[in-house]
Amino acid sequence: MLIQVCLYFYCKFLWRCLKFVMRKLTGRCELQRICYNTKPGASRTMKIETSLRESKSKLLQTSVSVHPDAIEKTIEDIMELKKINPDINPQLGISLQACLLQIVGYRNLIADVEKLRREPYDSDNPQHEEMLLKLWKFLKPNTPLESRISKQWCEIGFQGDDPKTDFRGMGLLGLYNLQYFAERDATAAQQVLSDSLHPKCRDITKEEISKFSKAEWEKKRMDKAIGYSFAIVGINITDLAYNLLVSGALKTHFYNIAPEAPTLSHFQQTFCYLMHEFHKFWIEEDPMDIMEFNRVREKFRKRIIKQLQNPDMALCPHFAASEGLINM
């Protein structure tokens, strides 16, 4: 443990020495070198974020958590601290502003998402009830809901006759995401729902046929299903998206697609993408039954994280929910 601590401080000392030497050789501070030598997007923003957080200057350390309205003034203060003439280096201020908008925006997005996650579904709240009923209408436009408390909710993947109990883990965030998917990408959402309700026939070997009666064979033939509970899986994928956001894994994606601050719409669009991809992944994995859900989900999570480790990665879905959000 002591060796690791010593090694950490030794490396940090060497890094500061290297920064000092580079400034003397190039005549530029680290922020300038990053902005001038790194292309816009996640690569640049993440390097800027690391540089600011690890700086000895309190001003630079706190700049990643300022209010969005204070970003412009913060950049002026940074330029003054670093003795950089904005008239000679006008592009630096523009680049830093873009990076700080993304960094501060990501932090604020976590707060917004967390607020929704912590808000429980309240059946006495008319707005909550309206959102839930809209979810049904978007997913089942040709089937009227007979009553608020109904076994019909199972048709879109809830566990019982009152969906409010299924939102406990993710709060309103789960409902927000499901409604966004069902409304903004209605065709795809209805197709995924339809697929989730239908079993998939599987091939049976001759050896298996010989072991079963006709009735047993038909049952065995149909026991391997695409089927899963659409709404419950949607809430579970919401949990996945939430954890990717909070862990910082989604920074590469958001810093590459959002030219300024990522918003709740960007997060919901990412949820839609994950729903699409998980559905395809579930079919490709060909699980025996729903009991394999956790295994498939974990494998899917690892694949997404691996993709997000690429600084050029953007989970760019080309479907209705993403229109207006990509390349803004």
Side-chain angles (χ1 to χ4, degrees):
M1 182 66 180
L2 180 61
I3 295 175
Q4 290 179 328
V5 172
C6 292
L7 185 61
Y8 168 78
F9 284 106
Y10 178 69
C11 292
K12 200 163 186 178
F13 173 75
L14 286 180
W15 176 244
R16 294 197 184 281
C17 290
L18 179 61
K19 286 172 63 176
F20 176 79
V21 171
M22 290 297 292
R23 171 141 196 175
K24 291 298 181 182
L25 290 175
T26 64
R28 294 174 175 175
C29 69
E30 185 178 41
L31 295 177
Q32 287 175 295
R33 295 195 301 274
I34 293 172
C35 287
Y36 294 149
N37 299 327
T38 310
K39 65 181 180 180
S43 294
R44 177 190 289 178
T45 302
M46 293 177 78
K47 286 180 180 179
I48 290 292
E49 185 173 10
T50 299
S51 178
L52 293 173
R53 289 186 185 280
E54 295 183 355
S55 173
K56 291 186 296 183
S57 166
K58 194 70 175 176
L59 170 64
L60 269 61
Q61 290 175 9
T62 57
S63 65
V64 298
S65 57
V66 298
H67 190 276
D69 294 340
I71 288 178
E72 192 171 341
K73 177 63 167 61
T74 300
I75 292 172
E76 292 176 1
D77 293 341
I78 291 174
M79 301 277 275
E80 183 178 350
L81 177 68
K82 294 293 184 178
K83 296 181 173 59
I84 300 171
N85 189 330
D87 296 326
I88 299 176
N89 301 273
Q91 187 58 42
L92 178 63
I94 296 173
S95 298
L96 283 177
Q97 183 176 22
C99 290
L100 274 182
L101 281 169
Q102 290 183 319
I103 295 166
V104 172
Y106 191 94
R107 181 189 179 96
N108 291 339
L109 175 58
I110 291 177
D112 292 341
V113 168
E114 183 64 30
K115 182 179 179 181
L116 284 175
R117 189 187 73 86
R118 288 179 177 274
E119 184 174 355
Y121 183 91
D122 182 3
S123 56
D124 293 326
N125 187 316
Q127 184 182 1
H128 295 186
E129 288 287 283
E130 182 183 3
M131 288 180 63
L132 182 60
L133 294 176
K134 280 184 176 180
L135 175 63
W136 175 270
K137 289 179 182 178
F138 290 139
L139 290 174
K140 307 279 284 186
N142 300 318
T143 306
L145 184 66
E146 295 174 0
S147 65
R148 168 61 180 80
I149 306 298
S150 170
K151 288 295 183 183
Q152 282 182 286
W153 289 111
C154 296
E155 295 177 21
I156 62 172
F158 287 104
Q159 292 180 322
D161 56 9
D162 190 351
K164 72 176 184 180
T165 58
D166 292 326
F167 291 119
R168 288 173 183 167
M170 283 286 107
L172 273 190
L173 184 62
L175 179 56
Y176 265 75
N177 280 351
L178 284 169
Q179 186 192 325
Y180 187 93
F181 184 33
E183 179 181 7
R184 299 298 183 91
D185 202 20
T187 302
Q190 289 171 28
Q191 184 60 57
V192 172
L193 172 62
S194 177
D195 289 347
S196 73
L197 293 171
H198 289 84
K200 177 184 65 174
C201 299
R202 71 180 181 93
D203 295 330
I204 304 294
T205 66
K206 291 181 179 179
E207 290 76 12
E208 286 181 303
I209 293 175
S210 65
K211 295 178 182 179
F212 304 113
S213 66
K214 184 176 180 180
E216 289 173 328
W217 177 78
E218 286 295 335
K219 183 178 184 299
K220 192 72 176 176
R221 180 171 171 266
M222 299 296 287
D223 70 358
K224 197 171 188 179
I226 293 178
Y228 53 75
S229 299
F230 175 87
I232 296 300
V233 168
I235 294 170
N236 203 289
I237 296 301
T238 293
D239 176 74
L240 172 61
Y242 166 78
N243 283 291
L244 289 173
L245 177 73
V246 172
S247 70
L250 281 176
K251 284 182 179 180
T252 49
H253 169 61
F254 286 138
Y255 290 170
N256 282 326
I257 69 162
E260 294 185 349
T263 64
L264 183 60
S265 292
H266 287 105
F267 178 77
Q268 292 174 309
Q269 171 257 326
T270 303
F271 165 78
C272 293
Y273 172 81
L274 291 173
M275 280 293 287
H276 272 267
E277 292 301 300
F278 179 79
H279 182 64
K280 291 192 297 184
F281 188 75
W282 177 266
I283 295 172
E284 291 168 3
E285 282 294 297
D286 205 20
M288 289 296 296
D289 52 41
I290 195 63
M291 298 304 291
E292 290 196 71
F293 177 80
N294 288 338
R295 176 190 67 79
V296 176
R297 181 192 184 278
E298 179 60 16
K299 190 173 180 180
F300 177 71
R301 183 189 69 84
K302 289 179 178 178
R303 188 175 78 165
I304 294 296
I305 288 177
K306 185 176 181 180
Q307 291 175 349
L308 290 170
Q309 288 172 348
N310 177 359
D312 296 325
M313 184 63 190
L315 304 175
C316 290
H318 299 289
F319 54 87
S322 68
E323 290 178 3
L325 293 177
I326 306 299
N327 298 325
M328 291 174 60

